[in-house]
């Protein structure tokens, strides 16, 4: 498995090119919840895919990445995995794809997860939890054009429980960032940085000048685009700002796609001024 | 969702009763890899399930739990989830089931994972990664007779990278154990304790006298049953010792089940002396 190139892997140069062409760092999060999608779609054979198709069509002009939150699909069992696969196949091949799956286990098991999200389902990247250390992360770094996006600082209240605890001279998440960064390169590792405060973003960027950060927490969770762009951009942009609920549930009823298109456009316009 | 009782949830009293009846704390890990199962099974319509069925039949006399390592099933896509579901349904209802899935995310996403492994697939428990803190773990604690088994100290080399780092007056995994324990009870939280050394087991047991520990690392990973039983048992036994490769790949060829039965029996006999 290691060393092979699977379909659709996207290297850094291609990602950066797309970001600059679109003047956007918008990642649209497909956290598709059947209880929240427009009701007319529930008559479709695959309602989750029908919704995602509408969202992708409405946002692909502005999005440089799509993030599929696997939990929402897994909860539907086999049907959900089929919706996920249809969605992944429908995403234009020049847009970066993220399996937001938060996986990580001992080496032989992480290898199976890498197979799942790089081969069985040919994503460009998968989110990875760092708690189990090097041998849990390294199996995700063996694929050309594929990325591990490792949890650094998350955007939820629980991040204070462990990530923000003092460990020696630094906070735990700072140790995670610098340690994990040493296992790969800015070409195969990104980090989840759910920072919404200026100082935190500046500090993390100073710690890791070259890496891409996947930044959740904008929109429903309270973060804002300007603060992230102003404080975390590097020469390659270096961030992907994820918005889930703020885009995908921006519309309602049969005309939901027009409002979703408008929401994505607004986010892209906020981002464009930083290029 | 919270508060409902789903099929097959197993509370602590029922688990302990089963352990004492069998004089066993053996958990058999179904890390089923199609590349390693007896070749004649590859002709079956569902080779992974055919293998698991053989393993369950051969070990159910001695096992008090089965742990399904979801990665090995996810890697096969929809077919794998179908094998997993058939396997889960085949496990006798009086034996505790563990989805070894290492999930954990922000609250609304952990809720979806809890739905996946407690409802869509009615496991008794799921393994959970603690890095994202309280709101990532608590959604798993809202179900009667269902358990979160949270990573404390894992058995792999990478556990040294973060878990064994000094955080204030304690090591990170010690902080994780005591903090996570405060979010629930010894009736809905267990911990993964991959300790193979006497001192570590004694120290963890002193820290958490009442909780159950799921102990991996015995067999292929080098740990031994006696050290675990001698140093980590409490009045309810309080441990589930997982063996994966050491049991399920103990046999080969068409008669594999007899050797697997014998391997499980040997483990049970080692455990029986501690009752």
């Amino acid at each position: 498995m290691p060393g092979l190139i699977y379909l659709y892997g996207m290297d850094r140069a291609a990602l950066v090119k797309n970001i600059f062409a679109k003047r956007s760092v918008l990642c649209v999060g497909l956290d598709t919840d059947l209880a929240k999608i427009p009701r007319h779609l529930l008559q479709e054979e695959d309602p989750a895919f029908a919704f995602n198709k509408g969202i992708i069509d409405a946002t692909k002009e502005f999005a440089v990445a799509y993030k599929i939150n696997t939990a929402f699909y897994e909860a539907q069992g086999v049907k959900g995995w089929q919706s996920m696969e249809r969605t992944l196949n429908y995403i234009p091949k020049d847009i970066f794809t993220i399996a937001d799956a938060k996986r990580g286990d001992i080496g032989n098991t992480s290898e199976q997860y890498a197979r799942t999200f790089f081969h069985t389902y040919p994503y460009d990247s998968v989110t990875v939890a760092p708690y189990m250390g090097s041998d849990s992360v390294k199996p995700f770094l063996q694929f050309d054009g594929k990325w591990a996006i490792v949890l650094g600082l998350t955007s939820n209240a629980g991040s204070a429980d462990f990530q923000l605890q003092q460990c020696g001279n630094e906070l735990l998440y700072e140790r995670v960032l610098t340690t994990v960064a040493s296992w790969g390169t800015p070409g195969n590792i990104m980090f989840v940085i759910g920072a919404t405060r200026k100082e935190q973003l500046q500090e993390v960027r100073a710690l890791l000048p070259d890496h891409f950060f996947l930044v959740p927490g904008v929109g429903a969770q309270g973060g804002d685009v300007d603060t992230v762009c102003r404080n975390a951009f590097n020469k390659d942009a270096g961030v992907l700002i994820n918005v889930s609920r703020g885009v995908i549930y921006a519309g309602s009823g049969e005309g939901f796609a027009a409002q979703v298109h408008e929401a994505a456009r607004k986010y892209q316009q906020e981002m464009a001024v930083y290029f």
Side-chain angles (χ1 to χ4, degrees), chain A:
Chain A
M1 198 164 51
L4 296 182
I5 297 174
Y6 290 114
L7 284 171
Y8 314 135
M10 186 180 288
D11 68 14
R12 181 161 172 141
L15 174 62
V16 172
K17 188 178 165 193
N18 206 14
I19 286 171
F20 278 76
K22 290 183 168 173
R23 297 198 304 159
S24 170
V25 292
L26 179 62
C27 174
V28 173
L30 299 168
D31 301 15
T32 301
D33 184 341
L34 295 182
K36 290 185 183 169
I37 68 176
R39 294 188 60 178
H40 72 283
L41 294 175
L42 297 177
Q43 299 155 14
E44 300 280 336
E45 199 184 320
D46 183 344
F49 174 59
F51 177 71
N52 291 345
K53 195 165 166 293
I55 298 293
I56 293 165
D57 287 340
T59 58
K60 65 186 176 188
E61 182 182 348
F62 310 113
V64 297
Y66 287 101
K67 180 170 81 60
I68 294 183
N69 185 333
T70 59
F72 286 79
Y73 302 84
E74 292 178 42
Q76 307 298 320
V78 162
K79 267 187 173 174
W81 284 87
Q82 287 167 336
S83 302
M84 192 192 79
E85 183 167 19
R86 289 188 189 111
T87 302
L88 181 63
N89 289 337
Y90 191 76
I91 295 171
K93 297 301 168 253
D94 63 341
I95 303 186
F96 191 75
T97 54
I98 302 167
D100 192 4
K102 311 281 200 300
R103 298 300 199 264
D105 207 311
I106 64 172
N108 78 326
T109 301
S110 274
E111 279 173 20
Q112 297 289 332
Y113 284 128
R115 177 185 288 269
T116 305
F117 294 109
F118 291 159
H119 180 66
T120 306
Y121 302 99
Y123 284 92
D124 297 313
S125 65
V126 58
T127 56
V128 173
Y131 188 71
M132 293 181 68
S134 58
D135 52 313
S136 71
V137 174
K138 287 179 178 172
F140 295 99
L141 305 178
Q142 310 299 319
F143 301 82
D144 289 338
K146 304 280 187 178
W147 302 69
I149 306 181
V150 181
L151 300 181
L153 179 60
T154 59
S155 55
N156 60 322
S159 63
D161 291 316
F162 306 119
Q163 297 164 31
L164 297 176
Q165 294 296 312
Q166 193 75 34
C167 285
N169 296 324
E170 53 197 348
L171 302 180
L172 175 61
Y173 84 91
E174 297 169 328
R175 172 159 307 190
V176 167
L177 294 179
T178 52
T179 305
V180 174
S182 75
W183 301 334
T185 73
N188 63 9
I189 297 179
M190 301 188 186
F191 290 99
V192 174
I193 301 293
T196 47
R197 295 207 324 274
K198 179 184 164 185
E199 296 74 20
Q200 244 169 358
L201 288 160
Q202 290 176 343
E203 182 255 310
V204 175
R205 179 49 81 199
L207 210 58
L208 296 174
D210 296 326
H211 284 77
F212 263 85
F213 302 152
L214 173 63
V215 184
V218 167
Q221 292 182 65
D224 77 280
V225 166
D226 284 322
T227 306
V228 176
C229 292
R230 188 170 296 124
N231 297 292
F233 257 44
N234 67 14
K235 69 173 171 31
D236 285 343
V239 297
L240 296 171
I241 297 182
N242 183 73
V243 187
S244 298
R245 288 166 273 184
V247 167
I248 71 174
Y249 300 130
S252 60
E254 300 206 3
F256 76 102
Q259 292 154 290
V260 168
H261 180 270
E262 183 56 19
R265 196 183 60 79
K266 274 193 178 164
Y267 277 113
Q268 184 271 331
Q269 286 188 328
E270 285 186 65
M271 294 162 181
V273 302
Y274 295 94
F275 285 85

